[in-house]
Amino acid sequence: MFMEIKTNIGTFGSFRDIETCMRLEGLKNIEVISIKALMETWERLAGQYTYNEIKQIIDTKGVLE
């Protein structure tokens, strides 16, 4: 699935990419600005997320796969 996640620190292709960046950079919070998947934009998912919340999204089977 094509996915583009725009954040305050850059654009990513998946939540796993965000988690990796946050872990390597030692970031505790990130702001998701928009999420596009299959040409649909989900503005309702925009907002502030912690590292643990990003991990939970990844660990939840079926979420935005």
Side-chain angles (χ1 to χ4, degrees):
M1 169 193 293
F2 171 75
M3 185 178 290
E4 178 183 86
I5 306 168
K6 291 185 181 180
T7 72
N8 61 319
I9 61 169
T11 301
F12 297 89
S14 72
F15 283 99
R16 289 187 192 283
D17 294 341
I18 293 173
E19 183 274 331
T20 300
C21 179
M22 290 178 77
R23 182 171 30 85
L24 293 175
E25 297 293 327
L27 301 173
K28 296 181 190 253
N29 295 300
I30 194 166
E31 181 180 358
V32 174
I33 298 167
S34 69
I35 300 172
K36 288 185 181 179
L38 296 177
M39 308 310 285
E40 183 178 344
T41 302
W42 295 315
E43 297 292 337
R44 68 185 182 277
L45 299 176
Q48 292 281 335
Y49 291 91
T50 65
Y51 177 80
N52 288 334
E53 290 169 329
I54 294 293
K55 268 302 263 175
Q56 184 177 6
I57 290 170
I58 294 167
D59 294 340
T60 302
K61 186 170 177 69
V63 174
L64 298 177
E65 289 181 349

